[in-house]
Structures are given as structure tokens and as C-alpha cells.
Amino acid sequence: MKATGIVRRIDDLGRVVIPKEIRRTLRLREGTPLEIFTDREGEIILKKYSPMVELAAFAGQYAEAMAQTTGKTVCITDRDQVIAVAGGSKKEMLLKSISHQLEQVISDRTVVNAVGDEKSFVPLTSEMPEGVTAEVIVPIICEGDAIGAVALLSREPRAKFGDPEIKLASTAAGFLGRQMEG
């Protein structure tokens, strides 16, 4: 844990303001859920809460099944990071922060179907693996909230995804969203 040198007081309602610089760095926005932990030394730890993390092992198995069936790379994200990767690029992408562009796609609930040289191509992370030629991204919706995304990626030259890939990613996103509700 690193010290920031910032000190805040608790107000009369028990609130503490998290400084703007820290909120920006950690991508904390109004309404962002935080988990509260304490330790034996009396420290209070605030951690961004992601319901998708609870589903990470299951999401990994789901991604693995999709990757085996399609031969494509499958990535599943929450609103902050890639939580599951199958079919390649695992070390390059797993647990990496998602890009601001993908964050916007999730927030806007946009379905993306693009090839690598189009303006509509959305990198999943800031360090997107090289050689990705096509992608489909579908947001995961749970109880009305956009909580992540399912992405299919191809490295095949001149690859293009069509309706079957969009339907596959949409089915996976719908299924994962419903798993979170239960």
C-alpha cells in the first residue's frame, strides 16, 4: 500500500471525500460500488466492487468452450478489466485494464462488429495484442446495468464476422448477465 499524503476528515454524517485525482486514476464515478474491508491493524480498505469477479471461474470455462467451438479468441470483461481469456493472448490480456473506448462501448450498450483497419475497431485494452484482424463486442447487461462485455477476436487475414458471431457473442452476454441475476 502506498501513501498519497492526502488527509481527509470524516464529516458529521460519517462521510469521507475521495480526492478527485484518486477517483480519476481508479476510474471511480458517482454510483461506483465499493467494497469495504478492515484488517487487524485498523486499516480500512476500499475496493471497487465487480459482481463479475464472482463469476470469473465460470466465465473462464464459458470462454474456453466458445474458443474451442469457434477457433477464435474469446475475452470476457467487467467494467474495469479482462476477467477471462481463451483461445490465445491470455498472458497479454488477462486482468489488464480495459481501454477507455471499450468502457464507452459498454456504457453506451453498443454492439461492435469491426475489422482491424476500420475506425469502428475498438481495442479491448490499451496494449491490444498485435494481429487482431476482426472483432465482435457485445455488452453484458444484468438487471438493466451494463456490467461488462463478451468479445470474439480473430487473427486470420481478411477475417470478417457476420450474424452468426454476433448471435454467439450476444447469447454468451445474455447468459452471463442472467447468471449474475441469480
Side-chain angles (χ1 to χ4, degrees), residues 116-133:
D117 58 356
E118 291 180 358
K119 287 182 182 177
S120 58
F121 188 81
V122 176
L124 298 188
T125 64
S126 59
E127 303 156 13
M128 186 77 164
E130 292 194 21
V132 175
T133 57

Side-chain angles (χ1 to χ4, degrees), residues 47-102:
K47 182 179 176 192
K48 279 172 91 170
Y49 173 72
S50 171
M52 287 292 289
V53 171
E54 298 171 10
L55 207 59
F58 178 76
Q61 293 172 344
Y62 200 99
E64 196 63 50
M66 286 178 64
Q68 286 176 357
T69 303
T70 64
K72 309 294 183 223
T73 300
V74 179
C75 298
I76 300 173
T77 77
D78 62 13
R79 292 193 64 122
D80 296 309
Q81 64 184 355
V82 178
I83 63 166
V85 180
S89 306
K90 196 169 206 162
K91 289 179 183 172
E92 295 176 88
M93 299 184 73
L94 188 62
L95 302 178
K96 300 280 194 241
S97 294
I98 65 171
S99 68
H100 292 292
Q101 298 97 314
L102 179 56

Side-chain angles (χ1 to χ4, degrees), residues 21 28 45 50 54 56 101 109 113 119 129 141 149 169:
E21 302 82 31
L28 298 174
I45 300 157
S50 171
E54 298 171 10
Q101 298 97 314
R109 301 162 187 239
N113 182 7
K119 287 182 182 177
I141 309 298

Side-chain angles (χ1 to χ4, degrees), residues 1-70:
M1 191 174 342
K2 67 179 183 182
T4 63
I6 301 170
V7 176
R8 293 287 193 249
R9 296 195 184 281
I10 297 174
D11 71 8
D12 57 338
L13 295 176
R15 298 176 296 197
V16 176
V17 174
I18 300 170
K20 189 176 191 174
E21 302 82 31
I22 293 174
R23 292 193 317 263
R24 187 179 304 126
T25 302
L26 298 178
R27 296 180 177 179
L28 298 174
R29 292 184 179 74
E30 182 180 330
T32 299
L34 299 174
E35 272 186 288
I36 302 169
F37 299 91
T38 59
D39 68 8
R40 291 187 178 130
E41 288 85 46
E43 292 178 324
I44 298 172
I45 300 157
L46 300 176
K47 182 179 176 192
K48 279 172 91 170
Y49 173 72
S50 171
M52 287 292 289
V53 171
E54 298 171 10
L55 207 59
F58 178 76
Q61 293 172 344
Y62 200 99
E64 196 63 50
M66 286 178 64
Q68 286 176 357
T69 303
T70 64

